[in-house]
């Protein structure tokens, strides 16, 4: 896993295009027709959010050939509920 880079847009476009039907069943945004520009815009937005400390989006890559296998994103917003407030690590 590593942060997405500008050069990952084409691989992201290809992966999303190939997985569109499976993604559409669970993710509303996947109904939209994928484009290379949308993939590049997504990567740029992810990089901007990471730089601002708002979110972290990582590409999941195959160890054997480096092919993009997926994407994982973590929004850096924490909601701690009582009684756990103040317990553990806080950024």
């Amino acid at each position: 896993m590593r942060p997405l880079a500008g050069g990952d847009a084409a691989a992201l476009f290809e992966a999303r295009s190939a997985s569109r039907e499976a993604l559409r069943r669970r993710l509303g945004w996947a109904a939209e027709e994928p484009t290379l520009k949308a993939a590049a815009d997504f990567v740029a937005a992810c990089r901007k959010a990471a730089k601002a400390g708002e979110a972290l989006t990582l590409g999941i890559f195959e160890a054997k050939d480096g092919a993009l296998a997926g994407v994982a994103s973590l929004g850096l917003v924490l909601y701690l509920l009582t009684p756990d407030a103040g317990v553990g690590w806080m950024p």
Side-chain angles (χ1 to χ4, degrees), residues 13-25:
F13 167 71
E14 292 296 329
R16 183 171 170 213
S17 296
S19 304
R20 185 171 179 220
E21 290 306 314
L23 291 171
R24 280 177 27 155
R25 290 192 290 264

Side-chain angles (χ1 to χ4, degrees), residues 2-84:
R2 64 165 171 75
L4 291 172
D8 295 327
L12 181 61
F13 167 71
E14 292 296 329
R16 183 171 170 213
S17 296
S19 304
R20 185 171 179 220
E21 290 306 314
L23 291 171
R24 280 177 27 155
R25 290 192 290 264
R26 292 183 174 82
L27 304 168
W29 57 260
E32 189 178 302
E33 185 70 32
T35 66
L36 182 55
K37 181 183 181 325
D41 290 348
F42 175 77
V43 170
C46 291
R47 293 171 58 82
K48 182 178 179 182
K51 187 174 183 179
E54 297 169 351
L56 177 62
T57 302
L58 302 171
I60 304 166
F61 296 88
E62 295 282 347
K64 61 183 174 187
D65 60 9
L68 180 67
V71 175
S73 186
L74 173 66
L76 300 178
V77 178
L78 297 175
Y79 297 94
L80 295 178
L81 306 175
T82 306
D84 296 322

